[in-house]
Amino acid sequence: MPSLGADMESAILMEWLVKEGDSVKKNQVVAEVETSKGVIEIEVFEDGIVDKLLVEPETECKVGMPLALIRSEGENVVKEEPKTESISEPREETSKVESAEKEPIVHEQKIVQEERVKISPAARKRAEELGVDLNKLTPKDGVIQLNQVEDASSSAVKAPLHVEKKEEVKSSPKDGMRQAIAAAMSRSNAEIPHYYLSTSINMTPSLAYLEELNKQRSIKDRILPVAMLIRAVVLSLVEVPELNGFWQENEHQISKEIHPGIAIALRKGGLITPALLDAQDMSLNDTMNSISDLITRTRSGKLRGSEMTKQTITITNLGDLGVESVYGVIYPPQLAVVGLGAIMDKPWAEGDALSVRKVLQATLAGDHRATDGRTGALFLDRLNKFLQNPEGLL
Amino acid sequence: MTKDEIKNVIIKQILEIAPDITADEIAADANIQRSLEIDSFDFLKILTALNEELEVEVPESDYSEVATLEKMADYFLKRL
């Protein structure tokens, strides 16, 4: 079970979309899982053949739990009995459905290890009754005994409470989303020293250009200003890549791929920021169509796992609600949030002439551990330049 | 088509694009986008669907004339 967000503990496997013996390709959707953020499609990370489905539908699975065994084509069928050699070996032969994150792999190894440790049947039964985590026990002479489980149970009071909490989350997914947002935003505010920059952008040239473009198009092929803005943000990030990536383990990691998380508010409360994957490779038309598709799938709860986890920066656009400036909170471990306000008629001075122009407040919240105000200022300057020369955005 | 029939077509399309809205939330004189939190993408989808059903295309320059349910029904009535 991949982690589909920093705060996800578990999800329910709803349906397998492949069966044992099927061959699968990298990025193919193989299962649907239900999380606090709706139904998410899980992709496989390597080509291969589904050797074994380890989990029945409608099972709640912890993050890191193996869901299926997948072997490379041409490889022998893996024996069902876990091997007794070193832990890492089966991993080389059979790759599990897993996320690219490091954490789940660690969990997975623990589970694999547990299978290899002998546990007396009585100890296993008692552990279930008492809610003792067998992974945490050290076997004596290679075997976990009943008395060890009972000794551990006194210190494992937390375990049953934990289960209770998860069931609450399961019964009301909206609360789960609120909790996840609360945890991520608290962490952000506690850990990330934010800096904020704001600039006024004259949108009249871009909007005039778009209006001419849309006049020649049928209604279904129209481009919205938001798509043009997101395209301009992506092109600016190509020139100022320092804001696109992560701050992890006290290190500034710049991502080559630009996967902006687009903040999409849900009308009945909550917020999802799915990634617009590989936005750097999209034309203006592609950007428009992909965002439109992303919004539809977000609202209907049909996002892919990769769209939930790969965001390299966040773009928040609250212009539709008339907000002028957005001062964002960075979603860890990302490095920045770009805020786009409403496009409003404003007095605009140029030389000694005063006129009325369509004006947008673009803001940037940056992580001061990774970048300085200068980087943010460069980014906003590029953004402004792209929007003054809209033909370059096609 | 009468104005009421047009209104029903519009309401049907709004509910189709935004299934989390209920019909009684749609007030005749309220700004459709603001009052129902319909973003620009969903608004364009509603206009596209109405274009397919009523064969009237709303150019961007006329958006102020279709801001509310009442205005939108009038707009289409004149052009059918």
Side-chain angles (χ1 to χ4, degrees), chain A residues 147-345:
Chain A
N147 59 353
Q148 278 181 282
V149 172
E150 286 179 334
D151 287 349
S153 76
S154 51
S155 59
V157 183
K158 273 183 188 167
L161 282 176
H162 203 59
V163 172
E164 226 170 274
K165 192 183 117 215
K166 262 192 301 183
E167 273 170 6
E168 269 169 43
V169 171
K170 200 169 76 184
S171 61
S172 60
K174 276 277 150 57
D175 285 355
M177 190 193 296
R178 196 68 254 157
Q179 291 307 316
I181 295 171
M185 294 298 102
S186 303
R187 189 184 140 200
S188 173
N189 234 13
E191 284 180 12
I192 303 178
H194 288 62
Y195 66 85
Y196 302 96
L197 305 173
S198 174
T199 194
S200 298
I201 297 179
N202 174 11
M203 287 294 289
T204 302
S206 284
L207 292 178
Y209 180 78
L210 206 56
E211 203 180 321
E212 281 309 307
L213 193 74
N214 284 338
K215 264 188 201 163
Q216 298 153 26
R217 294 176 174 224
S218 74
I219 189 162
K220 62 176 200 301
D221 295 325
R222 275 184 203 161
I223 306 283
L224 288 168
V226 187
M228 193 170 59
L229 287 166
I230 290 173
R231 173 85 179 126
V233 168
V234 171
L235 287 173
S236 306
L237 287 171
V238 172
E239 295 196 2
V240 188
E242 292 86 349
L243 295 170
N244 184 63
F246 312 101
W247 180 266
Q248 264 170 336
E249 287 149 25
N250 280 324
E251 230 177 87
H252 182 189
Q253 300 163 359
I254 296 171
S255 166
K256 252 195 202 163
E257 287 81 31
I258 301 173
H259 309 306
I262 311 295
I264 299 171
L266 302 179
R267 274 181 281 266
K268 301 293 173 196
L271 174 78
I272 298 184
T273 54
L276 187 68
L277 296 173
D278 292 306
Q280 77 280 354
D281 297 334
M282 292 179 188
S283 67
L284 182 58
N285 283 335
D286 297 340
T287 307
M288 175 69 197
N289 293 335
S290 303
I291 300 169
S292 185
D293 172 57
L294 197 62
I295 292 177
T296 305
R297 286 188 295 110
T298 303
R299 297 246 159 90
S300 60
K302 279 273 177 181
L303 289 168
R304 292 186 162 203
S306 54
E307 289 168 334
M308 301 299 293
T309 51
K310 285 193 162 177
Q311 299 89 333
T312 54
I313 188 166
T314 300
I315 303 177
T316 301
N317 165 42
L318 287 173
D320 282 331
L321 290 170
V323 164
E324 257 183 88
S325 303
V326 184
Y327 299 99
V329 182
I330 297 167
Y331 197 96
Q334 294 168 36
L335 299 166
V337 183
V338 179
L340 304 169
I343 299 170
M344 294 175 159
D345 288 340

Side-chain angles (χ1 to χ4, degrees), chain A residues 210-211 214 217-220 222-227 264-268 288 291-293 295-296 299 320-322, chain B residues 17-22 25 33-34 36-42 44-45 47-48 51-52 57-61 63:
Chain A
L210 206 56
E211 203 180 321
N214 284 338
R217 294 176 174 224
S218 74
I219 189 162
K220 62 176 200 301
R222 275 184 203 161
I223 306 283
L224 288 168
V226 187
I264 299 171
L266 302 179
R267 274 181 281 266
K268 301 293 173 196
M288 175 69 197
I291 300 169
S292 185
D293 172 57
I295 292 177
T296 305
R299 297 246 159 90
D320 282 331
L321 290 170
Chain B
I17 304 290
D20 41 358
I21 289 170
T22 53
E25 287 177 83
Q33 279 187 264
R34 294 268 178 100
L36 301 173
E37 287 187 56
I38 303 271
D39 64 25
S40 53
F41 282 91
D42 280 349
L44 183 60
K45 278 180 201 152
L47 291 183
T48 307
N51 172 236
E52 272 165 29
E57 197 167 316
V58 185
E60 283 180 324
S61 50
Y63 275 17

